[in-house]
Amino acid sequence: MDRHFQRDEAIQVIVACLAGPFAESAFEGYLDPRDMAMNASDGNEGSSDYADAKRIYGELRFLMPRRPDWGRIEDCTARLVLDHWSAIEALAAHLLVKHDLQFDEALTIVAPHLPPMPAATPPERHPQPA
């Protein structure tokens, strides 16, 4: 079970590392996921979030021999950034003014830009035979 959590956490860290460079790429006008990935990798070689993501992905081979394809992770991260672009812009605008935010402040800023949470539906009940 511990290995399962380590794998999931590693994928989340990879996505978090890629999100910044991908948001920067989107800001620069690269809106196709492949272009975003290319721009992020070109501009962030060596000691960077992109390089950290690649290093973590490489280390995953020890925990996850059949890990997700790198291109798929990049595509999913690009889609995440593009789908939430208005929230990213709102947060960036506030950060330019205030320079730092508490978590609850950031949540208040981005909440109007996020899709609503799906309503929980009760499990379907099947009538019992008499």
Side-chain angles (χ1 to χ4, degrees), residues 76-92:
C76 289
T77 305
R79 180 60 32 220
L80 186 67
V81 167
L82 293 172
D83 288 350
H84 295 90
W85 188 247
S86 66
I88 294 168
E89 283 185 315
L91 191 59

Side-chain angles (χ1 to χ4, degrees), residues 62-78:
F62 300 113
L63 291 173
M64 190 181 216
R66 292 175 43 174
R67 61 194 173 194
D69 176 66
W70 176 254
R72 184 169 180 268
I73 294 172
E74 284 184 327
D75 288 347
C76 289
T77 305

Side-chain angles (χ1 to χ4, degrees), residues 41-104:
S41 66
D42 287 348
N44 293 292
E45 301 218 2
S47 175
S48 68
D49 287 341
Y50 190 89
D52 289 344
K54 286 294 276 188
R55 180 186 48 76
I56 294 166
Y57 182 77
E59 292 171 4
L60 260 182
R61 70 182 179 275
F62 300 113
L63 291 173
M64 190 181 216
R66 292 175 43 174
R67 61 194 173 194
D69 176 66
W70 176 254
R72 184 169 180 268
I73 294 172
E74 284 184 327
D75 288 347
C76 289
T77 305
R79 180 60 32 220
L80 186 67
V81 167
L82 293 172
D83 288 350
H84 295 90
W85 188 247
S86 66
I88 294 168
E89 283 185 315
L91 191 59
H94 278 79
L95 284 169
L96 285 172
V97 172
K98 193 167 177 187
H99 302 294
D100 65 12
L101 297 170
Q102 298 297 319
F103 177 77
D104 58 333

Side-chain angles (χ1 to χ4, degrees), residues 124-130:
E124 193 174 308
R125 294 184 183 223
H126 298 284
Q128 298 294 326

